Amino acid sequence: MSTTILGIESSCDDTSAAVIRDGILLSNVIASQSVHEEYGGVVPELASRAHQQNIVPVVDTALKRAGISASDLNAIAFTRGPGLLGSLLVGTSFAKGMSLGLRIPIVDVNHLHGHVLSHFIRRKPDDIVPEYPFLCLLISGGNSQIILVKNYNDMEILGRTIDDAAGEAFDKCAKIMGLPYPGGPHIDRHAANGDPLKFKFAKPHIAGFDYSFSGLKTSFLYTLRDNVAIDPDFIAKNIDDLAASLQRTIIEILIDKLDKAVKATGVKTIAIGGGVSANSGIRAAIAEYCERRHLKAFIPERVFTTDNAAMVAIAGYFKYLDQQFCPYDAAPFARVGV
Ligand code: KG4
């Protein structure tokens, strides 16, 4: 008998629904919200309203694209947190209502576990997935963590950022240069044409496996000031080199700590995840690092780096197999570690 799970993700500004059957992805629908663009960041109240508008058509489309009807589902997995509370409430309430109507269980998923477990989404049965244990470098707009993944439900955070996340370093430096929000993809694009060694920025000296990115942002700002007091012409002339040098520094910071963790744990498999893992420079650097050190690298498809319900469905699938269901009085949560 097959197991079919509907996943629902609504933690931030993407409404997404996906269907996974026996670990194989049947559909993954994502409705992104453009309403935030003019504000330079996500506006929580607008996000929850957009989720309310999107959730029914998104779930409906996911079922149709999967070629199934709601009665074929065994369970509904949903992101319970962390994220924006109002946004999470939409997905949580929808999952509860739909499960009551269908008389099937709900499974709650930690958004960060979803990112880590996205490597287990298979498009076809012979797709290769990581073996436990592995190290996951989870890099997003809100998190930068090195996680030792021992099992789908047993993860240990070895290191985390003590201030800004890697995504914030990209976004805040991009903002200084006048690039639109979120700046990460713009830095990525400019970096492709720039000289990564033209500018030198300060790197943190933090003990253990923890990260810090706030000093880099300050150093970036002062580099612009040293040359000419935040002169738009200077930025325009050097934007590719600034982006490439910034990206190189972020990559060096990330890989430096990852390498420490690899040496300390002896783990032979590395995975990356989260929105920042869409970055071309980071993807290439991780692949190169793993090849040099004879490690197995798992680099997710770009569609699975940002928020998506496929990762929620796969995480929910594993919990479902272990009969780990969620009570109906479970409330969403805004903040938590892994
Ligand atoms: O995981 P995610 O979608 O959500 C949050 O945790 O917020 O990550 C969003 C982050 C943003 O900081 C964005 O700038 C960054 O991922 N990002 C990138 C790229 N694509 C998205 N950063 C660098 N290069 C990219 N190509």
Side-chain angles (χ1 to χ4, degrees), residues 48-126:
S48 22
R49 287 175 200 209
H51 282 305
Q52 274 185 321
Q53 285 177 342
N54 293 342
I55 193 134
V56 171
V58 164
V59 168
D60 196 42
T61 308
L63 295 176
K64 281 201 181 105
R65 284 194 193 159
I68 65 162
S69 64
S71 58
D72 297 321
L73 294 170
N74 294 89
I76 301 171
F78 66 98
T79 305
R80 186 169 162 200
L84 300 171
L85 215 45
S87 294
L88 289 164
L89 268 170
V90 177
T92 304
S93 313
F94 186 89
K96 287 177 183 174
M98 190 169 173
S99 94
L100 282 168
L102 293 168
R103 295 174 194 278
I104 55 174
I106 41 173
V107 181
D108 58 327
V109 170
N110 177 317
H111 182 79
L112 301 175
H113 286 191
H115 274 303
V116 174
L117 298 173
S118 64
H119 291 279
F120 293 89
I121 302 165
R122 283 177 293 143
R123 291 195 182 270
K124 37 186 196 350
D126 56 357

Side-chain angles (χ1 to χ4, degrees), residues 115 140-142 167-168 170-171 182-185 188 274-276 278-280 305-307:
H115 274 303
S140 68
E168 285 174 289
F170 274 108
D171 295 343
D188 193 350
V276 180
N279 182 270
S280 323
T305 61
T306 44
D307 294 346

